Amino acid sequence: GDSVTQMEGPVTLSEEAFLTINCTYTATGYPSLFWYVQYPGEGLQLLLKATKADDKGSNKGFEATYRKETTSFHLEKGSVQVSDSAVYFCALSHPKHSSGSARQLTFGSGTQLTVLP
Amino acid sequence: DVKVTQSSRYLVKRTGEKVFLECVQDMDHENMFWYRQDPGLGLRLIYFSYDVKMKEKGDIPEGYSVSREKKERFSLILESASTNQTSMYLCASSLPRGNYGYTFGSGTRLTVV
């Protein structure tokens, strides 16, 4: 079945450091790929997405490129801020054969990021 | 601003109680989902619905049921709450083509004592 593997956390960085959170996936066909962010006490928010190979998703200084050859979708940011402290989830979306039009997200386990001033 | 609203942020219930978690979305989305989130286990899908009165089991449906009588509302029901159902519950909705992404509610933290 489909699966998403994220790098283990927690990750602690100083402000303005470079961030990479690794994400690899296993799926048949061509899933869509997502990064979600969860701030403390909140639900998940869509951060960025890519729907086909070589697409780059970007938002709020974060970027990720859909690499089909390496089945990866690593999240990067050039200079993190304290306000980026959150849990980051990589996810893929793939049709569920039994339900036709519905799609489900398969999530990675999440990576806790803490940015220190 | 589009929203998924979960009726309670925090709930405390007793073992054996019947518990209703409500979720309402204002985006006219066809799909709605219930997940639970636990430390070290990530997000796990309980049930989802792709149309009114339609539902499908997710990965961990045992001990739960759902109701979708109207398009905008998707309820999660714990028939007889148990302490191992203490968790954060997240509702989400989406258009039929999931590559637009999901919109999540803020979550309900349920404690069963």
Side-chain angles (χ1 to χ4, degrees):
Chain A
D2 298 343
S3 67
V4 176
T5 302
Q6 280 182 243
M7 65 184 287
E8 298 258 340
V11 174
T12 303
L13 296 173
S14 298
E15 205 164 25
E16 299 184 2
F18 184 84
L19 169 71
T20 300
I21 301 177
N22 289 339
C23 171
T24 57
Y25 69 90
T26 302
T28 56
Y30 299 91
S32 296
L33 301 173
F34 304 84
W35 277 100
Y36 282 81
V37 59
Q38 185 180 32
Y39 298 104
E42 299 292 325
L44 278 70
Q45 301 175 25
L46 178 63
L47 181 60
L48 53 85
K49 67 176 183 178
T51 57
K52 60 183 188 296
D54 300 325
D55 266 3
K56 178 185 282 187
S58 62
N59 186 24
K60 299 181 181 179
F62 291 90
E63 291 184 340
T65 301
Y66 189 160
R67 301 284 188 202
K68 184 144 182 75
E69 65 276 12
T70 55
T71 62
S72 65
F73 192 55
H74 305 321
L75 183 68
E76 297 181 335
K77 187 175 185 183
S79 176
V80 294
Q81 306 300 312
V82 172
S83 57
D84 294 327
S85 298
V87 181
Y88 292 82
F89 291 90
C90 185
L92 69 83
S93 178
H94 213 271
K96 183 79 170 174
H97 297 303
S98 64
S99 58
S101 65
R103 288 191 178 215
Q104 298 179 56
L105 287 178
T106 299
F107 287 91
S109 56
T111 302
Q112 172 76 55
L113 170 67
T114 301
V115 180
L116 303 176
Chain B
D1 195 16
V2 294
K3 275 189 177 175
V4 176
T5 303
Q6 295 184 233
S7 54
S8 305
R9 290 298 297 269
Y10 300 94
L11 274 179
V12 180
K13 296 293 182 180
R14 295 194 180 276
T15 301
E17 276 193 75
K18 190 169 186 175
V19 180
F20 293 84
L21 303 184
E22 305 287 347
C23 176
V24 177
Q25 51 97 1
D26 64 1
M27 297 165 283
D28 201 34
H29 282 173
E30 283 75 7
N31 296 342
M32 295 187 76
F33 305 83
W34 277 106
Y35 289 85
R36 64 177 282 177
Q37 183 179 18
D38 301 289
L41 296 176
L43 288 146
R44 293 180 290 169
L45 180 65
I46 305 171
Y47 267 97
F48 69 99
S49 167
Y50 53 93
D51 201 353
V52 175
K53 298 191 185 296
M54 304 304 289
K55 61 186 179 184
E56 281 210 24
K57 294 180 180 180
D59 300 320
I60 53 162
E62 296 77 18
Y64 302 94
S65 62
V66 290
S67 172
R68 191 155 181 215
E69 296 296 319
K70 294 184 178 181
K71 189 176 186 179
E72 66 270 19
R73 186 179 297 271
F74 192 36
S75 302
L76 180 69
I77 303 157
L78 286 64
E79 297 291 343
S80 177
S82 64
T83 54
N84 64 11
Q85 293 178 310
T86 291
S87 186
M88 168 71 93
Y89 290 87
L90 293 168
C91 176
S93 71
S94 76
L95 292 167
R97 293 182 62 80
N99 56 351
Y100 291 103
Y102 291 21
T103 302
F104 282 84
S106 297
T108 295
R109 185 164 294 282
L110 173 67
T111 302
V112 182
V113 298

PDB file of all heavy atoms in Angstrom, chain A residues 18 32-35 47-68 72-78:
ATOM      1  N   PHE A  18      19.386  27.061   7.640  1.00  0.00           N
ATOM      2  CA  PHE A  18      18.757  26.393   6.506  1.00  0.00           C
ATOM      3  C   PHE A  18      18.043  25.135   6.993  1.00  0.00           C
ATOM      4  O   PHE A  18      18.582  24.383   7.803  1.00  0.00           O
ATOM      5  CB  PHE A  18      19.822  26.000   5.473  1.00  0.00           C
ATOM      6  CG  PHE A  18      19.264  25.395   4.215  1.00  0.00           C
ATOM      7  CD1 PHE A  18      18.819  26.197   3.186  1.00  0.00           C
ATOM      8  CD2 PHE A  18      19.171  24.013   4.066  1.00  0.00           C
ATOM      9  CE1 PHE A  18      18.306  25.649   2.022  1.00  0.00           C
ATOM     10  CE2 PHE A  18      18.653  23.452   2.913  1.00  0.00           C
ATOM     11  CZ  PHE A  18      18.220  24.276   1.893  1.00  0.00           C
ATOM     12  N   SER A  32      -0.472  12.840  -5.883  1.00  0.00           N
ATOM     13  CA  SER A  32      -0.175  14.231  -5.562  1.00  0.00           C
ATOM     14  C   SER A  32       0.528  14.259  -4.212  1.00  0.00           C
ATOM     15  O   SER A  32       0.265  13.418  -3.349  1.00  0.00           O
ATOM     16  CB  SER A  32      -1.461  15.049  -5.497  1.00  0.00           C
ATOM     17  OG  SER A  32      -2.095  15.082  -6.755  1.00  0.00           O
ATOM     18  N   LEU A  33       1.409  15.221  -4.025  1.00  0.00           N
ATOM     19  CA  LEU A  33       2.217  15.292  -2.802  1.00  0.00           C
ATOM     20  C   LEU A  33       1.992  16.628  -2.106  1.00  0.00           C
ATOM     21  O   LEU A  33       1.814  17.664  -2.766  1.00  0.00           O
ATOM     22  CB  LEU A  33       3.703  15.112  -3.129  1.00  0.00           C
ATOM     23  CG  LEU A  33       4.066  13.792  -3.806  1.00  0.00           C
ATOM     24  CD1 LEU A  33       5.529  13.791  -4.226  1.00  0.00           C
ATOM     25  CD2 LEU A  33       3.785  12.619  -2.868  1.00  0.00           C
ATOM     26  N   PHE A  34       2.010  16.592  -0.789  1.00  0.00           N
ATOM     27  CA  PHE A  34       1.669  17.765   0.015  1.00  0.00           C
ATOM     28  C   PHE A  34       2.616  17.888   1.205  1.00  0.00           C
ATOM     29  O   PHE A  34       3.124  16.892   1.722  1.00  0.00           O
ATOM     30  CB  PHE A  34       0.243  17.637   0.585  1.00  0.00           C
ATOM     31  CG  PHE A  34      -0.824  17.414  -0.435  1.00  0.00           C
ATOM     32  CD1 PHE A  34      -1.099  16.141  -0.898  1.00  0.00           C
ATOM     33  CD2 PHE A  34      -1.565  18.475  -0.920  1.00  0.00           C
ATOM     34  CE1 PHE A  34      -2.095  15.924  -1.841  1.00  0.00           C
ATOM     35  CE2 PHE A  34      -2.560  18.275  -1.858  1.00  0.00           C
ATOM     36  CZ  PHE A  34      -2.827  16.996  -2.319  1.00  0.00           C
ATOM     37  N   TRP A  35       2.778  19.122   1.657  1.00  0.00           N
ATOM     38  CA  TRP A  35       3.304  19.398   2.977  1.00  0.00           C
ATOM     39  C   TRP A  35       2.254  20.182   3.751  1.00  0.00           C
ATOM     40  O   TRP A  35       1.715  21.192   3.249  1.00  0.00           O
ATOM     41  CB  TRP A  35       4.600  20.199   2.935  1.00  0.00           C
ATOM     42  CG  TRP A  35       5.810  19.345   2.701  1.00  0.00           C
ATOM     43  CD1 TRP A  35       6.479  19.154   1.533  1.00  0.00           C
ATOM     44  CD2 TRP A  35       6.487  18.572   3.675  1.00  0.00           C
ATOM     45  NE1 TRP A  35       7.533  18.299   1.719  1.00  0.00           N
ATOM     46  CE2 TRP A  35       7.560  17.919   3.022  1.00  0.00           C
ATOM     47  CE3 TRP A  35       6.311  18.352   5.047  1.00  0.00           C
ATOM     48  CZ2 TRP A  35       8.449  17.072   3.695  1.00  0.00           C
ATOM     49  CZ3 TRP A  35       7.194  17.505   5.713  1.00  0.00           C
ATOM     50  CH2 TRP A  35       8.246  16.880   5.040  1.00  0.00           C
ATOM     51  N   LEU A  47       0.511  23.684   3.432  1.00  0.00           N
ATOM     52  CA  LEU A  47       1.644  24.584   3.234  1.00  0.00           C
ATOM     53  C   LEU A  47       1.973  24.706   1.748  1.00  0.00           C
ATOM     54  O   LEU A  47       2.115  25.798   1.225  1.00  0.00           O
ATOM     55  CB  LEU A  47       2.862  24.069   4.005  1.00  0.00           C
ATOM     56  CG  LEU A  47       4.138  24.897   3.938  1.00  0.00           C
ATOM     57  CD1 LEU A  47       3.921  26.299   4.477  1.00  0.00           C
ATOM     58  CD2 LEU A  47       5.257  24.194   4.709  1.00  0.00           C
ATOM     59  N   LEU A  48       2.113  23.575   1.064  1.00  0.00           N
ATOM     60  CA  LEU A  48       2.379  23.588  -0.362  1.00  0.00           C
ATOM     61  C   LEU A  48       2.059  22.223  -0.931  1.00  0.00           C
ATOM     62  O   LEU A  48       1.900  21.246  -0.202  1.00  0.00           O
ATOM     63  CB  LEU A  48       3.830  23.987  -0.665  1.00  0.00           C
ATOM     64  CG  LEU A  48       4.946  23.213   0.022  1.00  0.00           C
ATOM     65  CD1 LEU A  48       5.296  21.946  -0.727  1.00  0.00           C
ATOM     66  CD2 LEU A  48       6.195  24.086   0.175  1.00  0.00           C
ATOM     67  N   LYS A  49       1.999  22.168  -2.261  1.00  0.00           N
ATOM     68  CA  LYS A  49       1.672  20.898  -2.895  1.00  0.00           C
ATOM     69  C   LYS A  49       2.303  20.838  -4.281  1.00  0.00           C
ATOM     70  O   LYS A  49       2.721  21.855  -4.851  1.00  0.00           O
ATOM     71  CB  LYS A  49       0.165  20.736  -3.034  1.00  0.00           C
ATOM     72  CG  LYS A  49      -0.468  21.718  -3.996  1.00  0.00           C
ATOM     73  CD  LYS A  49      -1.954  21.444  -4.178  1.00  0.00           C
ATOM     74  CE  LYS A  49      -2.524  22.419  -5.228  1.00  0.00           C
ATOM     75  NZ  LYS A  49      -3.964  22.146  -5.476  1.00  0.00           N
ATOM     76  N   ALA A  50       2.367  19.596  -4.832  1.00  0.00           N
ATOM     77  CA  ALA A  50       2.807  19.366  -6.201  1.00  0.00           C
ATOM     78  C   ALA A  50       2.021  18.189  -6.744  1.00  0.00           C
ATOM     79  O   ALA A  50       1.826  17.190  -6.034  1.00  0.00           O
ATOM     80  CB  ALA A  50       4.305  19.088  -6.263  1.00  0.00           C
ATOM     81  N   THR A  51       1.567  18.305  -7.963  1.00  0.00           N
ATOM     82  CA  THR A  51       0.669  17.279  -8.487  1.00  0.00           C
ATOM     83  C   THR A  51       1.286  16.416  -9.575  1.00  0.00           C
ATOM     84  O   THR A  51       0.686  15.414  -9.976  1.00  0.00           O
ATOM     85  CB  THR A  51      -0.623  17.915  -9.021  1.00  0.00           C
ATOM     86  OG1 THR A  51      -0.271  18.874 -10.016  1.00  0.00           O
ATOM     87  CG2 THR A  51      -1.386  18.593  -7.906  1.00  0.00           C
ATOM     88  N   LYS A  52       2.474  16.777 -10.069  1.00  0.00           N
ATOM     89  CA  LYS A  52       3.126  15.917 -11.053  1.00  0.00           C
ATOM     90  C   LYS A  52       4.635  16.045 -10.933  1.00  0.00           C
ATOM     91  O   LYS A  52       5.152  16.980 -10.317  1.00  0.00           O
ATOM     92  CB  LYS A  52       2.671  16.253 -12.471  1.00  0.00           C
ATOM     93  CG  LYS A  52       2.947  17.654 -12.937  1.00  0.00           C
ATOM     94  CD  LYS A  52       2.361  17.854 -14.330  1.00  0.00           C
ATOM     95  CE  LYS A  52       2.769  19.180 -14.925  1.00  0.00           C
ATOM     96  NZ  LYS A  52       2.255  20.333 -14.168  1.00  0.00           N
ATOM     97  N   ALA A  53       5.305  15.089 -11.563  1.00  0.00           N
ATOM     98  CA  ALA A  53       6.767  15.013 -11.457  1.00  0.00           C
ATOM     99  C   ALA A  53       7.412  16.312 -11.921  1.00  0.00           C
ATOM    100  O   ALA A  53       6.971  16.934 -12.885  1.00  0.00           O
ATOM    101  CB  ALA A  53       7.274  13.837 -12.270  1.00  0.00           C
ATOM    102  N   ASP A  54       8.443  16.719 -11.145  1.00  0.00           N
ATOM    103  CA  ASP A  54       9.253  17.917 -11.386  1.00  0.00           C
ATOM    104  C   ASP A  54       8.547  19.218 -11.016  1.00  0.00           C
ATOM    105  O   ASP A  54       9.151  20.281 -11.113  1.00  0.00           O
ATOM    106  CB  ASP A  54       9.749  17.990 -12.833  1.00  0.00           C
ATOM    107  CG  ASP A  54      10.610  16.804 -13.206  1.00  0.00           C
ATOM    108  OD1 ASP A  54      11.358  16.323 -12.331  1.00  0.00           O
ATOM    109  OD2 ASP A  54      10.517  16.334 -14.346  1.00  0.00           O
ATOM    110  N   ASP A  55       7.300  19.142 -10.587  1.00  0.00           N
ATOM    111  CA  ASP A  55       6.625  20.333 -10.068  1.00  0.00           C
ATOM    112  C   ASP A  55       7.321  20.799  -8.804  1.00  0.00           C
ATOM    113  O   ASP A  55       7.741  19.977  -7.977  1.00  0.00           O
ATOM    114  CB  ASP A  55       5.168  20.009  -9.718  1.00  0.00           C
ATOM    115  CG  ASP A  55       4.223  20.316 -10.845  1.00  0.00           C
ATOM    116  OD1 ASP A  55       4.685  20.728 -11.925  1.00  0.00           O
ATOM    117  OD2 ASP A  55       3.006  20.147 -10.638  1.00  0.00           O
ATOM    118  N   LYS A  56       7.393  22.104  -8.617  1.00  0.00           N
ATOM    119  CA  LYS A  56       7.896  22.663  -7.358  1.00  0.00           C
ATOM    120  C   LYS A  56       6.758  23.407  -6.696  1.00  0.00           C
ATOM    121  O   LYS A  56       6.175  24.322  -7.285  1.00  0.00           O
ATOM    122  CB  LYS A  56       9.062  23.613  -7.616  1.00  0.00           C
ATOM    123  CG  LYS A  56       9.597  24.254  -6.339  1.00  0.00           C
ATOM    124  CD  LYS A  56      10.683  25.279  -6.617  1.00  0.00           C
ATOM    125  CE  LYS A  56      12.005  24.634  -6.901  1.00  0.00           C
ATOM    126  NZ  LYS A  56      13.116  25.619  -7.004  1.00  0.00           N
ATOM    127  N   GLY A  57       6.458  23.008  -5.462  1.00  0.00           N
ATOM    128  CA  GLY A  57       5.502  23.758  -4.666  1.00  0.00           C
ATOM    129  C   GLY A  57       6.247  24.760  -3.797  1.00  0.00           C
ATOM    130  O   GLY A  57       7.360  24.475  -3.329  1.00  0.00           O
ATOM    131  N   SER A  58       5.645  25.925  -3.569  1.00  0.00           N
ATOM    132  CA  SER A  58       6.305  26.923  -2.734  1.00  0.00           C
ATOM    133  C   SER A  58       5.270  27.772  -2.018  1.00  0.00           C
ATOM    134  O   SER A  58       4.177  28.023  -2.539  1.00  0.00           O
ATOM    135  CB  SER A  58       7.243  27.802  -3.556  1.00  0.00           C
ATOM    136  OG  SER A  58       6.513  28.507  -4.528  1.00  0.00           O
ATOM    137  N   ASN A  59       5.637  28.217  -0.802  1.00  0.00           N
ATOM    138  CA  ASN A  59       4.745  29.061  -0.020  1.00  0.00           C
ATOM    139  C   ASN A  59       5.510  29.535   1.211  1.00  0.00           C
ATOM    140  O   ASN A  59       6.202  28.737   1.863  1.00  0.00           O
ATOM    141  CB  ASN A  59       3.500  28.282   0.410  1.00  0.00           C
ATOM    142  CG  ASN A  59       2.474  29.150   1.101  1.00  0.00           C
ATOM    143  OD1 ASN A  59       2.434  30.366   0.900  1.00  0.00           O
ATOM    144  ND2 ASN A  59       1.625  28.539   1.898  1.00  0.00           N
ATOM    145  N   LYS A  60       5.395  30.792   1.550  1.00  0.00           N
ATOM    146  CA  LYS A  60       5.977  31.363   2.767  1.00  0.00           C
ATOM    147  C   LYS A  60       7.477  31.091   2.873  1.00  0.00           C
ATOM    148  O   LYS A  60       8.005  30.925   3.970  1.00  0.00           O
ATOM    149  CB  LYS A  60       5.281  30.801   4.011  1.00  0.00           C
ATOM    150  CG  LYS A  60       3.795  31.113   4.088  1.00  0.00           C
ATOM    151  CD  LYS A  60       3.198  30.542   5.369  1.00  0.00           C
ATOM    152  CE  LYS A  60       1.720  30.823   5.443  1.00  0.00           C
ATOM    153  NZ  LYS A  60       1.100  30.275   6.662  1.00  0.00           N
ATOM    154  N   GLY A  61       8.174  31.020   1.769  1.00  0.00           N
ATOM    155  CA  GLY A  61       9.615  30.772   1.765  1.00  0.00           C
ATOM    156  C   GLY A  61       9.980  29.302   1.769  1.00  0.00           C
ATOM    157  O   GLY A  61      11.154  28.955   1.634  1.00  0.00           O
ATOM    158  N   PHE A  62       9.015  28.421   1.930  1.00  0.00           N
ATOM    159  CA  PHE A  62       9.244  26.978   1.876  1.00  0.00           C
ATOM    160  C   PHE A  62       9.112  26.491   0.433  1.00  0.00           C
ATOM    161  O   PHE A  62       8.307  27.010  -0.334  1.00  0.00           O
ATOM    162  CB  PHE A  62       8.223  26.227   2.736  1.00  0.00           C
ATOM    163  CG  PHE A  62       8.379  26.441   4.208  1.00  0.00           C
ATOM    164  CD1 PHE A  62       7.727  27.473   4.852  1.00  0.00           C
ATOM    165  CD2 PHE A  62       9.175  25.588   4.964  1.00  0.00           C
ATOM    166  CE1 PHE A  62       7.868  27.683   6.216  1.00  0.00           C
ATOM    167  CE2 PHE A  62       9.318  25.770   6.325  1.00  0.00           C
ATOM    168  CZ  PHE A  62       8.664  26.823   6.955  1.00  0.00           C
ATOM    169  N   GLU A  63       9.907  25.462   0.099  1.00  0.00           N
ATOM    170  CA  GLU A  63       9.845  24.864  -1.230  1.00  0.00           C
ATOM    171  C   GLU A  63       9.978  23.354  -1.127  1.00  0.00           C
ATOM    172  O   GLU A  63      10.637  22.846  -0.205  1.00  0.00           O
ATOM    173  CB  GLU A  63      11.008  25.375  -2.109  1.00  0.00           C
ATOM    174  CG  GLU A  63      10.935  26.812  -2.492  1.00  0.00           C
ATOM    175  CD  GLU A  63      12.076  27.191  -3.432  1.00  0.00           C
ATOM    176  OE1 GLU A  63      13.078  26.451  -3.464  1.00  0.00           O
ATOM    177  OE2 GLU A  63      11.953  28.211  -4.119  1.00  0.00           O
ATOM    178  N   ALA A  64       9.388  22.655  -2.107  1.00  0.00           N
ATOM    179  CA  ALA A  64       9.592  21.210  -2.225  1.00  0.00           C
ATOM    180  C   ALA A  64       9.390  20.831  -3.682  1.00  0.00           C
ATOM    181  O   ALA A  64       8.472  21.348  -4.331  1.00  0.00           O
ATOM    182  CB  ALA A  64       8.633  20.442  -1.328  1.00  0.00           C
ATOM    183  N   THR A  65      10.238  19.928  -4.179  1.00  0.00           N
ATOM    184  CA  THR A  65      10.160  19.507  -5.573  1.00  0.00           C
ATOM    185  C   THR A  65       9.793  18.031  -5.648  1.00  0.00           C
ATOM    186  O   THR A  65      10.404  17.197  -4.968  1.00  0.00           O
ATOM    187  CB  THR A  65      11.490  19.751  -6.296  1.00  0.00           C
ATOM    188  OG1 THR A  65      11.804  21.150  -6.226  1.00  0.00           O
ATOM    189  CG2 THR A  65      11.400  19.329  -7.765  1.00  0.00           C
ATOM    190  N   TYR A  66       8.823  17.709  -6.473  1.00  0.00           N
ATOM    191  CA  TYR A  66       8.332  16.347  -6.687  1.00  0.00           C
ATOM    192  C   TYR A  66       9.350  15.619  -7.564  1.00  0.00           C
ATOM    193  O   TYR A  66       9.456  15.871  -8.759  1.00  0.00           O
ATOM    194  CB  TYR A  66       6.985  16.448  -7.393  1.00  0.00           C
ATOM    195  CG  TYR A  66       6.150  15.199  -7.555  1.00  0.00           C
ATOM    196  CD1 TYR A  66       4.790  15.312  -7.791  1.00  0.00           C
ATOM    197  CD2 TYR A  66       6.695  13.930  -7.532  1.00  0.00           C
ATOM    198  CE1 TYR A  66       3.979  14.194  -7.963  1.00  0.00           C
ATOM    199  CE2 TYR A  66       5.902  12.801  -7.712  1.00  0.00           C
ATOM    200  CZ  TYR A  66       4.543  12.954  -7.924  1.00  0.00           C
ATOM    201  OH  TYR A  66       3.755  11.836  -8.118  1.00  0.00           O
ATOM    202  N   ARG A  67      10.094  14.680  -6.950  1.00  0.00           N
ATOM    203  CA  ARG A  67      11.122  13.916  -7.664  1.00  0.00           C
ATOM    204  C   ARG A  67      10.662  12.474  -7.815  1.00  0.00           C
ATOM    205  O   ARG A  67      10.745  11.688  -6.861  1.00  0.00           O
ATOM    206  CB  ARG A  67      12.446  13.942  -6.884  1.00  0.00           C
ATOM    207  CG  ARG A  67      12.992  15.335  -6.646  1.00  0.00           C
ATOM    208  CD  ARG A  67      13.612  15.911  -7.883  1.00  0.00           C
ATOM    209  NE  ARG A  67      14.312  17.169  -7.594  1.00  0.00           N
ATOM    210  CZ  ARG A  67      14.572  18.081  -8.518  1.00  0.00           C
ATOM    211  NH1 ARG A  67      14.186  17.904  -9.771  1.00  0.00           N
ATOM    212  NH2 ARG A  67      15.230  19.178  -8.177  1.00  0.00           N
ATOM    213  N   LYS A  68      10.177  12.140  -8.990  1.00  0.00           N
ATOM    214  CA  LYS A  68       9.656  10.782  -9.168  1.00  0.00           C
ATOM    215  C   LYS A  68      10.792   9.759  -9.210  1.00  0.00           C
ATOM    216  O   LYS A  68      10.636   8.639  -8.734  1.00  0.00           O
ATOM    217  CB  LYS A  68       8.834  10.701 -10.456  1.00  0.00           C
ATOM    218  CG  LYS A  68       8.177   9.345 -10.644  1.00  0.00           C
ATOM    219  CD  LYS A  68       6.823   9.472 -11.281  1.00  0.00           C
ATOM    220  CE  LYS A  68       6.168   8.112 -11.416  1.00  0.00           C
ATOM    221  NZ  LYS A  68       5.691   7.643 -10.107  1.00  0.00           N
ATOM    222  N   SER A  72      10.781  11.292  -3.873  1.00  0.00           N
ATOM    223  CA  SER A  72      11.010  12.173  -2.738  1.00  0.00           C
ATOM    224  C   SER A  72      10.286  13.504  -2.912  1.00  0.00           C
ATOM    225  O   SER A  72       9.942  13.901  -4.037  1.00  0.00           O
ATOM    226  CB  SER A  72      12.510  12.420  -2.557  1.00  0.00           C
ATOM    227  OG  SER A  72      13.039  13.120  -3.656  1.00  0.00           O
ATOM    228  N   PHE A  73      10.103  14.184  -1.780  1.00  0.00           N
ATOM    229  CA  PHE A  73       9.442  15.498  -1.778  1.00  0.00           C
ATOM    230  C   PHE A  73       9.962  16.241  -0.553  1.00  0.00           C
ATOM    231  O   PHE A  73       9.237  16.543   0.377  1.00  0.00           O
ATOM    232  CB  PHE A  73       7.913  15.312  -1.741  1.00  0.00           C
ATOM    233  CG  PHE A  73       7.107  16.541  -2.022  1.00  0.00           C
ATOM    234  CD1 PHE A  73       7.291  17.280  -3.184  1.00  0.00           C
ATOM    235  CD2 PHE A  73       6.109  16.959  -1.150  1.00  0.00           C
ATOM    236  CE1 PHE A  73       6.533  18.401  -3.465  1.00  0.00           C
ATOM    237  CE2 PHE A  73       5.338  18.086  -1.412  1.00  0.00           C
ATOM    238  CZ  PHE A  73       5.558  18.797  -2.573  1.00  0.00           C
ATOM    239  N   HIS A  74      11.233  16.554  -0.550  1.00  0.00           N
ATOM    240  CA  HIS A  74      11.887  17.146   0.612  1.00  0.00           C
ATOM    241  C   HIS A  74      11.498  18.611   0.767  1.00  0.00           C
ATOM    242  O   HIS A  74      11.491  19.380  -0.191  1.00  0.00           O
ATOM    243  CB  HIS A  74      13.410  17.044   0.479  1.00  0.00           C
ATOM    244  CG  HIS A  74      13.917  15.653   0.255  1.00  0.00           C
ATOM    245  ND1 HIS A  74      13.378  14.557   0.904  1.00  0.00           N
ATOM    246  CD2 HIS A  74      14.921  15.185  -0.535  1.00  0.00           C
ATOM    247  CE1 HIS A  74      14.023  13.465   0.517  1.00  0.00           C
ATOM    248  NE2 HIS A  74      14.965  13.815  -0.358  1.00  0.00           N
ATOM    249  N   LEU A  75      11.246  19.009   2.010  1.00  0.00           N
ATOM    250  CA  LEU A  75      10.869  20.390   2.320  1.00  0.00           C
ATOM    251  C   LEU A  75      12.115  21.189   2.672  1.00  0.00           C
ATOM    252  O   LEU A  75      12.947  20.723   3.467  1.00  0.00           O
ATOM    253  CB  LEU A  75       9.897  20.418   3.500  1.00  0.00           C
ATOM    254  CG  LEU A  75       9.362  21.782   3.907  1.00  0.00           C
ATOM    255  CD1 LEU A  75       8.445  22.353   2.829  1.00  0.00           C
ATOM    256  CD2 LEU A  75       8.616  21.683   5.240  1.00  0.00           C
ATOM    257  N   GLU A  76      12.236  22.389   2.103  1.00  0.00           N
ATOM    258  CA  GLU A  76      13.397  23.235   2.355  1.00  0.00           C
ATOM    259  C   GLU A  76      12.957  24.672   2.606  1.00  0.00           C
ATOM    260  O   GLU A  76      11.957  25.142   2.072  1.00  0.00           O
ATOM    261  CB  GLU A  76      14.366  23.207   1.168  1.00  0.00           C
ATOM    262  CG  GLU A  76      14.963  21.850   0.886  1.00  0.00           C
ATOM    263  CD  GLU A  76      15.933  21.889  -0.271  1.00  0.00           C
ATOM    264  OE1 GLU A  76      15.812  22.774  -1.134  1.00  0.00           O
ATOM    265  OE2 GLU A  76      16.819  21.000  -0.318  1.00  0.00           O
ATOM    266  N   LYS A  77      13.771  25.349   3.429  1.00  0.00           N
ATOM    267  CA  LYS A  77      13.625  26.792   3.614  1.00  0.00           C
ATOM    268  C   LYS A  77      15.005  27.363   3.874  1.00  0.00           C
ATOM    269  O   LYS A  77      15.756  26.824   4.691  1.00  0.00           O
ATOM    270  CB  LYS A  77      12.672  27.138   4.753  1.00  0.00           C
ATOM    271  CG  LYS A  77      12.382  28.645   4.828  1.00  0.00           C
ATOM    272  CD  LYS A  77      11.339  28.984   5.883  1.00  0.00           C
ATOM    273  CE  LYS A  77      11.013  30.475   5.798  1.00  0.00           C
ATOM    274  NZ  LYS A  77      10.043  30.923   6.831  1.00  0.00           N
ATOM    275  N   GLY A  78      15.285  28.458   3.221  1.00  0.00           N
ATOM    276  CA  GLY A  78      16.629  29.005   3.286  1.00  0.00           C
ATOM    277  C   GLY A  78      16.986  29.665   4.604  1.00  0.00           C
ATOM    278  O   GLY A  78      18.143  29.657   5.024  1.00  0.00           O
TER     279      GLY A  78
END
